[in-house]
Amino acid sequence: MGFTGYENKDAGSWSTAKDTYNSFGNNRGKSAFFNDRGNSSRGRFEHGGFGGGGGNSRWVEEPRDDGDWSKPTPRNERLEHELFSGSNTGINFEKYDDIPVEATGQNCPRHIESFQDVDMGEIVMGNIALSRYTRPTPVQKYAIPIVKSKRDLMACAQTGSGKTAAFLLPILSQIYTDGPGEALNAAKASGQVSNGKYGRRKQYPISLVLAPTRELALQIYDEARKFSYRSRVRPCVVYGGADIGQQIRDLERGCHLLVATPGRLVDMMERGKIGLDHCKYLVLDEADRMLDMGFEPQIRRIVEQDTMPHKGVRQTMMFSATFPKEIQILARDFLEEYIFLAVGRVGSTSENITQKVVWVEESDKRSFLLDLLSATGKDSLTLVFVETKKGADALEDFLYREGYACTSIHGDRSQRDREEALNQFRSGKCPILVATAVAARGLDISNVKHVINFDLPSDIEEYVHRIGRTGRVGNLGLATSFFNDKNGNITKDLLDILVEAKQEVPSWLESLAYEHQHKSSNRGRSKRFSGGFGARDYRQTAAGGNTGGFGGRGGRNQTGHGGTRGFGGGGFGNFYTSDGYGGNYSHSQVDWWGN
Ligand code: ADP
Ligand code: MG
């Protein structure tokens, strides 16, 4: 493929690699390494690395801080296979014109059309080719030149549109061009460096990426490993719930790019394991979540109350699919002369996701879910969101008793169990994952065909992120939400989202939203109003006079499921199978990027 110039450099020095291996082996007490490398590789094979889901072994590139950072290190076939064999294929990138893009701020650099339009250097271009990325996604077209020209950035782009690479590629390319610079000098000055290698105590990452959940941190770390293949950059990840000792040992081997959840990072800083004095690039992924009430104090602690370079000195980048106005205002505290980039409307959903909202009474939810699951293709993954951890456990048990291979992920499960659950889901061993909001943001799992909101969330941002687990990078997805009296607070926002994404809107939802608005604008009148038109009545209206209702098993067959068949048309099962949501559906893609 198109990464010529890469292969020929294999010749790398075996003796150097061997020396490196030996010195590492000696330093390491109970050695986790063994000599199992390809001839020309520089690195080591490591057992039981954390985050690998227990017992995994992985190849670890040996970082060397001396030498020319812009030149690729020797190729390693085993590592290459490990990093890139799961890379996506067959994404349909045609011309992309019609998603509105807003880029505001002074002297905004021009966007690119292809990866070749900007000089990202040999290493990055090689890894892009290995990842089989043929062209940049919309957010990448704009964000890459902005980041390359050292500007602060607040970027909003839809779920699944490639935001991770939009920051990793330009940051890494910049690090390869500039070399370790001050970070290495600082380490040297403090007497922690010998023979051009980082010492064992404190690490000074050049780039820090913060993420809200452990699983997301791991996923970003995995992407960073891909894009730092054949470079001298060593990425690391730290997050709570896992053995800190192991993470410290990993850091001690060198850390140039750190992916972290805030709590564990603060811990590492307080233990003197990480210094942010030379952090040139700061990224907040899922930035609106990172700056909301739960995380904001920790972010300020990391960014403002420690040794991190001030804004304007460091480069700060924020990414999310949603960005409520009040959080945008708060975010300005951390940015200097930034560019605001919105690809599509902020908080909008991808039109690749077919969104269905169905009225289901609380007591009918389980049987309704069973119907949905039985109509879902066997080889596709279904993600079911519930509101509480208890609810997740209960639903998992229920589905298990009904004979479904399912698992669950939520905050009360151990980190090990969480990772295990995610792996089983990803691999299709358990094609149903019951989850709380911990799985709502950022997770990129291919083949999730159906997201079911068993319980709807109370805010619309959460909804956008949840359904964004499907319909990623040009694939089609389906999202079904169970709605009832309890979900009044999301009615209006949900309606707006459906209309904007050109989805079928149930008429009862429209009526409810109308009522809701009325209620808030005129309390006295709304009382009378809602007395006369309870939610129940809307539901019947929605069924187009078909009083079978949406709740009971019997009714469903008559009422249909909205969508193309309309109410009272084909049965529920029909909708999901013969309309293409069963079989063919799983392979179809739309040209998200393009026309
Ligand atoms: P987001 O953060 O916007 O939700 P991700 O960064 O998780 O999206 O990317 C979603 C998927 O798209 C990932 O599997 C990633 O490898 C893939 N991807 C990213 N950029 C490209 C590209 N230019 N071409 C093909 N696939 C891409
Ligand atoms: Mg993301």
Side-chain angles (χ1 to χ4, degrees):
M1 288 182 66
F3 40 95
T4 42
Y6 235 57
E7 292 91 336
N8 296 337
K9 297 222 163 88
D10 293 7
S13 48
W14 170 236
S15 60
T16 315
K18 203 166 176 182
D19 293 346
T20 310
Y21 168 71
N22 286 340
S23 68
F24 255 89
N26 291 341
N27 287 342
R28 270 277 305 188
K30 58 173 180 141
S31 175
F33 317 129
F34 62 95
N35 193 351
D36 183 16
R37 294 157 297 159
N39 264 355
S40 56
S41 55
R42 178 193 288 149
R44 59 188 187 277
F45 209 73
E46 184 181 273
H47 281 299
F50 64 88
N56 272 0
S57 45
R58 63 166 45 151
W59 184 265
V60 179
E61 225 13 26
E62 183 62 50
R64 294 170 61 88
D65 294 320
D66 50 352
D68 183 351
W69 279 47
S70 66
K71 288 279 172 286
T73 57
R75 192 175 163 205
N76 175 285
E77 275 177 45
R78 179 199 287 262
L79 178 61
E80 198 168 296
H81 182 77
E82 185 205 317
L83 293 176
F84 299 101
S85 57
S87 285
N88 66 78
T89 48
I91 285 166
N92 184 14
F93 297 100
E94 286 309 309
K95 265 214 142 87
Y96 158 78
D97 305 306
D98 57 353
I99 293 190
V101 178
E102 183 193 344
T104 46
Q106 292 198 331
N107 301 322
C108 182
R110 241 191 89 73
H111 71 277
I112 54 170
E113 283 299 333
S114 94
F115 287 122
Q116 280 75 31
D117 290 352
V118 61
D119 180 16
M120 288 199 280
E122 203 178 337
I123 302 176
V124 166
M125 294 313 278
N127 292 331
I128 287 175
L130 285 169
S131 304
R132 279 174 278 176
Y133 292 1
T134 48
R135 45 176 298 175
T137 68
V139 64
Q140 290 164 4
K141 287 179 183 178
Y142 285 81
I144 288 174
I146 293 171
V147 176
K148 280 288 283 178
S149 58
K150 302 186 194 302
R151 297 293 301 273
D152 280 7
L153 173 64
M154 185 192 289
C156 310
Q158 290 170 342
T159 52
S161 63
K163 293 188 286 293
T164 319
F167 59 80
L168 284 180
L169 295 175
I171 288 175
L172 284 168
S173 109
Q174 212 53 49
I175 297 179
Y176 302 153
T177 308
D178 297 346
E182 301 143 21
L184 178 62
N185 291 337
K188 270 184 179 152
S190 62
Q192 293 172 25
V193 171
S194 59
N195 304 330
K197 282 200 203 70
Y198 272 42
R200 313 207 110 231
R201 286 202 296 281
K202 195 166 185 174
Q203 293 296 323
Y204 295 92
I206 304 166
S207 178
L208 173 65
V209 180
L210 291 170
T213 66
R214 303 155 186 183
E215 289 77 12
L216 181 54
L218 257 173
Q219 182 182 299
I220 298 167
Y221 166 70
D222 284 337
E223 291 281 289
R225 286 184 74 217
K226 280 193 211 171
F227 298 126
S228 54
Y229 172 58
R230 296 190 65 183
S231 80
R232 288 166 166 79
V233 164
R234 186 166 197 277
C236 290
V237 61
V238 300
Y239 51 84
D243 181 7
I244 194 163
Q246 228 170 354
Q247 291 180 357
I248 289 171
R249 285 193 292 281
D250 188 59
L251 286 176
E252 284 173 346
R253 292 187 205 126
C255 172
H256 306 106
L257 183 147
L258 180 63
V259 185
T261 54
R264 181 52 63 95
L265 175 61
V266 169
D267 197 348
M268 289 292 188
M269 288 163 69
E270 282 166 2
R271 288 167 187 246
K273 297 297 169 193
I274 288 290
L276 297 174
D277 314 46
H278 302 290
C279 178
K280 286 188 4 189
Y281 310 95
L282 168 67
V283 179
L284 303 188
D285 196 19
E286 306 294 343
D288 56 331
R289 175 79 184 88
M290 302 306 288
L291 294 173
D292 76 10
M293 286 189 312
F295 279 120
E296 198 220 0
Q298 281 171 327
I299 300 299
R300 286 197 189 274
R301 159 79 183 76
I302 294 165
V303 176
E304 289 178 342
Q305 290 157 34
D306 224 287
T307 52
M308 178 178 283
H310 293 160
K311 66 176 181 178
V313 180
R314 65 163 196 265
Q315 193 182 344
T316 310
M317 292 140 278
M318 305 192 181
F319 285 80
S320 186
T322 55
F323 229 128
K325 272 272 152 21
E326 65 276 14
I327 308 243
Q328 286 186 29
I329 292 165
L330 182 68
R332 292 181 197 153
D333 286 0
F334 302 91
L335 297 163
E336 181 92 351
E337 292 203 3
Y338 66 99
I339 290 171
F340 176 82
L341 172 66
V343 182
R345 188 190 66 84
V346 176
S348 65
T349 55
S350 158
E351 285 181 24
N352 298 345
I353 308 169
T354 301
Q355 301 177 55
K356 299 287 167 197
V357 182
V358 281
W359 186 280
V360 187
E361 295 293 353
E362 216 57 40
S363 55
D364 295 325
K365 280 183 172 177
R366 284 184 172 187
S367 72
F368 209 104
L369 177 65
L370 289 182
D371 284 1
L372 274 185
L373 292 177
S374 67
T376 302
K378 284 274 175 287
D379 55 344
S380 60
L381 307 182
T382 302
L383 183 51
V384 185
F385 280 105
V386 296
E387 206 44 33
T388 64
K389 302 165 193 170
K390 258 196 169 143
D393 280 338
L395 191 61
E396 183 195 359
D397 286 349
F398 169 74
L399 290 174
Y400 185 79
R401 285 197 307 272
E402 292 289 328
Y404 285 96
C406 63
T407 182
S408 71
I409 185 166
H410 59 71
D412 276 353
R413 299 200 70 187
S414 72
Q415 185 54 27
R416 216 195 148 81
D417 287 349
R418 279 165 62 162
E419 278 168 35
E420 177 73 11
L422 210 52
N423 285 340
Q424 289 188 329
F425 182 57
R426 263 185 220 278
S427 68
K429 214 167 146 193
C430 292
I432 300 167
L433 179 67
V434 181
T436 58
V438 288
R441 280 185 183 254
L443 296 186
D444 182 51
I445 302 165
S446 53
N447 210 26
V448 174
K449 287 289 146 33
H450 198 170
V451 171
I452 298 172
N453 281 309
F454 188 87
D455 302 317
L456 267 165
S458 53
D459 70 277
I460 197 69
E461 282 81 22
E462 170 79 12
Y463 173 84
V464 169
H465 287 281
R466 283 185 184 184
I467 70 165
R469 294 321 96 210
T470 185
R472 299 178 72 74
V473 254
N475 290 286
L476 291 176
L478 174 64
T480 306
S481 301
F482 296 177
F483 190 105
N484 62 35
D485 294 316
K486 284 186 168 175
N487 307 115
N489 48 3
I490 203 177
T491 317
K492 176 69 171 58
D493 292 336
L494 187 58
L495 177 76
D496 290 347
I497 284 275
L498 294 178
V499 170
E500 186 186 38
K502 305 193 182 79
Q503 301 294 304
E504 206 82 34
V505 179
S507 52
W508 54 264
L509 188 71
E510 242 167 325
S511 316
L512 266 183
Y514 177 77
E515 186 202 14
H516 218 73
Q517 209 169 23
H518 226 77
K519 236 185 201 165
S520 44
S521 63
N522 187 340
R523 288 221 141 255
R525 209 175 139 196
S526 76
K527 274 226 165 79
R528 190 159 51 84
F529 209 74
S530 59
F533 297 85
R536 206 162 271 279
D537 300 291
Y538 287 111
R539 208 180 52 199
Q540 281 165 4
T541 312
N546 185 336
T547 47
F550 281 72
R553 259 173 193 276
R556 226 167 302 138
N557 279 340
Q558 282 132 38
T559 52
H561 192 40
T564 45
R565 290 183 173 269
F567 294 96
F572 192 82
N574 280 347
F575 180 85
Y576 279 90
T577 50
S578 54
D579 281 2
Y581 284 82
N584 309 342
Y585 174 73
S586 58
H587 299 293
S588 44
Q589 281 186 333
V590 293
D591 176 15
W592 192 91
W593 274 250
N595 318 314

